[in-house]
Amino acid sequence: MAAVSNPPPDPPSDEDLSPGIPVIRIGLLAGEPIRLAGLTTVFEGSPEAGKPQLQPVIGTVDKLLADPELLYMVVDFNSSAEGLKTLEKVKRTRPEIRQIVIGPENDAELVLEAITAGARAYLDSSADPHTVRMAIDIVVSGSIWAPRKLLSRLIDRLLGVPGGGGGGVGALQLTARERQVLDLILLARSNREIAEELGIEERTVKAHVGRLMRKTGAENRIELSIRALSRRSAQAIPDGKEQNKG
């Protein structure tokens, strides 16, 4: 008897979504029906209190890019050999779209390339639906998702590369406080943890992080870490006003 290929379940229609809850459309890009079926389970059930309803949208990359309401996309590297090319195409065509990557484990080089190509989150293939949903919620809120163990592996790898690579923070002047904040970012500390360690307010930490990103041209904390580690010769300059605050 011939095997029957079952298509992935249909995503919820507008009528299925809870009334009164904001709806955010998330593009799903995976080449295998079984992978798509697995990804759609992430969107089942009602969102937690205060979280938006996520509506999956399945289609080709061109179809998803043509959807003006689509501002987020999940790209599954495991079922496509064109993963990085897809990220670059999305970044080039619709740079406002925030991309979430699901890819192989223990591949620091791929993670680096995915971040450079525009990913705002990278999840291991072993991530469960709850973790995927959590990562999507964090990206939707405007933040970056990267498990600390993954970031730690990246930092260890980069620290072992003498001289580093391309652009970084080596040619920049950083204040003493910015240097302290940067050092703690490299240890994967959160803004709250940095604030507690330095004895300053969390909003002050956010301001420092924002200035570091502007100075380095980084789009997120992971890229900031990568650039900082690739050029570790930045020198702190005295800043009396900030030192008095500390």
Side-chain angles (χ1 to χ4, degrees):
M1 188 164 105
V4 177
S5 175
N6 294 321
D10 293 331
S13 63
D14 292 338
E15 290 77 12
D16 297 328
L17 302 176
S18 302
I21 298 178
V23 177
I24 294 180
R25 294 161 63 81
I26 309 284
L28 300 184
L29 200 59
E32 299 174 2
I34 191 170
R35 299 289 301 179
L36 281 173
L39 285 173
T40 55
T41 64
V42 173
F43 302 88
E44 295 176 353
S46 300
E48 297 178 6
K51 298 289 180 65
Q53 178 79 48
L54 304 182
Q55 181 181 14
V57 181
I58 298 173
T60 64
V61 62
D62 290 330
K63 178 182 176 181
L64 296 177
L65 288 174
D67 185 343
E69 297 182 0
L70 194 74
L71 296 176
Y72 304 91
M73 189 181 298
V74 177
V75 182
D76 180 22
F77 276 18
N78 298 286
S79 60
S80 172
E82 302 293 319
L84 288 172
K85 289 183 179 179
T86 297
L87 294 187
E88 292 166 352
K89 179 175 182 177
V90 173
K91 184 178 181 180
R92 182 174 62 253
T93 309
R94 294 276 305 279
E96 73 277 14
I97 290 181
R98 297 175 180 174
Q99 302 182 77
I100 297 101
V101 168
I102 300 177
E105 299 180 63
N106 303 318
D107 192 337
E109 184 64 33
L110 181 60
V111 177
L112 279 169
E113 292 176 347
I115 293 167
T116 302
R120 301 297 294 270
Y122 189 100
L123 288 149
D124 289 340
S125 302
S126 59
D128 57 41
H130 174 74
T131 303
V132 176
R133 170 71 199 225
M134 186 186 304
I136 293 174
D137 283 336
I138 288 174
V139 172
V140 167
S141 73
S143 299
I144 303 298
W145 169 274
R148 288 194 177 186
K149 63 177 182 178
L150 181 59
L151 183 56
S152 296
R153 290 203 298 270
L154 278 173
I155 290 174
D156 290 342
R157 176 182 179 276
L158 289 167
L159 284 174
V161 179
V169 298
L172 300 176
Q173 288 186 322
L174 304 182
T175 66
R177 180 64 82 200
E178 287 171 347
R179 181 75 245 181
Q180 289 176 315
V181 171
L182 181 58
D183 287 343
L184 291 171
I185 288 175
L186 296 181
L187 295 175
R189 299 286 196 272
S190 66
N191 286 348
R192 179 173 55 80
E193 291 168 332
I194 293 173
E196 291 175 353
E197 189 152 344
L198 297 181
I200 58 179
E201 294 186 4
E202 188 171 348
R203 63 181 180 181
T204 304
V205 175
K206 291 180 180 178
H208 287 310
V209 174
R211 282 196 290 271
L212 285 167
M213 288 184 181
R214 287 193 295 273
K215 286 184 176 183
T216 60
E219 295 184 0
N220 53 60
R221 292 168 76 101
I222 301 175
E223 186 177 347
L224 174 62
S225 299
I226 292 170
R227 294 189 178 205
L229 287 168
S230 67
R231 291 286 185 85
R232 301 186 300 277
S233 58
Q235 299 295 320
I237 60 173
D239 187 332
K241 185 182 294 187
E242 289 202 333
Q243 287 176 335
N244 290 337
K245 279 184 183 179

